[in-house]
Amino acid sequence: MKVLVIASGGDTPGMNKVIFNLYKKFKNNLFACKRGFSGLIDDEIYSASVFEPKKYKNQAGVCIKSARCPRFITDEGFKKGLKNAKKFDIVVILGGNGSAKGAKRLAENGVKTIFAPATIDNDIEGSEYSLGFHTAVKACCEAVYNVMPSMNAFDRACVFQVMGRRCDKIAKNVATTVEADALVASEEELDLQKIAKTLNKNYKQEKSSIIILRENILPIEKFISSLKTLTKGVEVKPFIIGHLQRGTKPSKVDIKMANQISKSIFKATKSPQMFSYIYFEEGCCKIK
Ligand code: F6P
């Protein structure tokens, strides 16, 4: 059985572990697309061994490389990709909602496809968990814990911008864990007056403040300058956590999740359906 693995969209901690597990199972029958769907279109398909999956198994990132590929949405790009996908018995796609759409389209066109949820955003339709989320939240919390002692020394406030594209899950989880003074996880939640009041109060009490801001709501600098017009004496610093969330070594939880996903992929390859959708429900990894 010839299996092709593709990582598409944002890399996520734990992806390498899944790829290594697949390699351990399928050995020379495992092939990988370099740079997601771009590789599928541009004939960049190699034996998985070329990417040294063993060396990277516990690291973040993705050894086979990823890409965002708008070309795969076009009929021309899709047609080229489909031609290559048809050379394999099964195609395994690791990624987010966009990748799931690509996977489904391949299946609708006759390729046996398995999709597994892998994005730090944890916003996959029908899945309560997606690989890498735990590591991303952990990385954010660690950043907050490592920055705040310095903020405390000056009674400063710090705005930590976290990822999540349009999903508030990372922001909410981080805010709860670090006991943030304010959270801006959606546009509707943005109450500058209320946040400024908290910052002023903390400052008067010689305390620092933690504000968690989800990306793509408003630019962090604009947020801070608006806050400054409403606060008295409080110094507000920006801290964009950024790709630390994706580049951090996978947590033990995500290694466990990667192993669960791998087992589900193996199960799905035993009696392959045209489209197998791997998802998490009540803490378990399932296939539909
Ligand atoms: O989808 C994962 C994610 O990390 C989002 O949270 C973020 O908005 C985006 O990818 C960033 O993508 P890039 O690394 O391509 O800038």
Side-chain angles (χ1 to χ4, degrees):
M1 185 193 289
K2 267 173 80 183
V3 179
L4 177 68
V5 62
I6 301 175
S8 157
D11 51 282
T12 195
M15 258 181 181
N16 274 330
K17 185 70 175 179
V18 176
I19 292 166
F20 170 69
N21 288 340
L22 291 176
Y23 179 61
K24 225 167 55 174
K25 174 94 177 163
F26 298 107
K27 301 195 172 67
N28 290 338
N29 288 319
L30 183 72
F31 295 80
C33 257
K34 192 174 182 178
R35 295 196 183 88
F37 291 123
S38 300
L40 194 64
I41 296 171
D42 299 330
D43 308 319
E44 290 236 65
I45 298 170
Y46 307 95
S47 162
S49 62
V50 168
F51 300 96
E52 302 183 273
K54 190 173 178 192
K55 187 168 152 191
Y56 296 99
K57 64 178 179 177
N58 290 321
Q59 292 185 27
V62 62
C63 62
I64 61 176
K65 298 189 189 286
S66 190
R68 302 195 188 277
C69 181
R71 271 190 303 153
F72 198 60
I73 303 167
T74 67
D75 286 341
E76 197 196 340
F78 181 77
K79 230 166 126 186
K80 278 192 187 167
L82 180 65
K83 202 171 149 211
N84 275 328
K86 283 199 164 159
K87 294 174 188 162
F88 295 87
D89 298 300
I90 293 179
V91 176
V92 178
I93 295 167
L94 313 173
N97 284 319
S99 318
K101 276 189 197 142
K104 196 157 178 252
R105 194 168 171 201
L106 285 175
E108 283 163 359
N109 284 276
V111 178
K112 286 191 177 129
T113 310
I114 301 172
F115 168 78
T119 165
I120 61 161
D121 297 348
N122 200 12
D123 62 346
I124 306 279
E125 270 166 45
S127 183
E128 70 188 25
Y129 190 76
S130 102
L131 190 62
F133 175 70
H134 183 270
T135 308
V137 171
K138 191 167 166 265
C140 291
C141 295
E142 274 163 16
V144 173
Y145 295 142
N146 285 321
V147 166
M148 285 318 286
S150 172
M151 296 296 150
N152 290 334
F154 286 79
D155 302 330
R156 283 171 173 158
C158 189
V159 179
F160 294 90
Q161 182 180 293
V162 304
M163 281 184 169
R165 201 176 288 267
R166 276 168 291 280
C167 182
D168 59 11
K169 287 189 189 159
I170 295 180
K172 282 188 169 162
N173 273 266
V174 173
T176 308
T177 311
V178 302
E179 298 182 38
D181 298 280
L183 163 69
V184 185
S186 66
E187 273 154 53
E188 303 78 58
E189 261 175 308
L190 181 59
D191 185 344
L192 283 166
Q193 298 282 352
K194 194 172 157 205
I195 299 171
K197 209 170 149 193
T198 306
L199 264 53
N200 283 328
K201 188 172 142 237
N202 285 350
Y203 184 65
K204 263 195 198 154
Q205 293 175 353
E206 300 186 354
K207 286 200 289 200
S208 57
S209 303
I210 301 171
I211 302 120
I212 306 298
L213 170 69
R214 196 207 85 204
E215 67 175 354
N216 297 331
I217 294 179
L218 81 171
I220 190 167
E221 295 299 348
K222 192 172 169 220
F223 176 55
I224 290 177
S225 63
S226 308
L227 274 179
K228 278 184 181 163
T229 62
L230 300 168
T231 51
K232 287 182 215 93
V234 192
E235 246 189 289
V236 189
K237 296 282 185 189
F239 193 100
I240 299 174
I241 302 178
H243 290 81
L244 199 64
Q245 289 158 96
R246 301 220 304 253
T248 290
K249 193 173 175 194
S251 65
K252 282 188 185 142
V253 170
D254 276 320
I255 291 293
K256 203 175 123 201
M257 294 304 193
N259 288 336
Q260 283 195 31
I261 287 176
S262 309
K263 274 188 196 152
S264 293
I265 296 175
F266 299 156
K267 205 169 157 195
T269 58
K270 278 194 186 133
S271 50
Q273 306 296 310
M274 204 40 102
F275 186 47
S276 304
Y277 193 84
I278 294 176
Y279 67 103
F280 285 90
E281 191 179 59
E282 291 165 2
C284 297
C285 195
K286 300 182 178 174
I287 311 167
K288 76 177 160 201

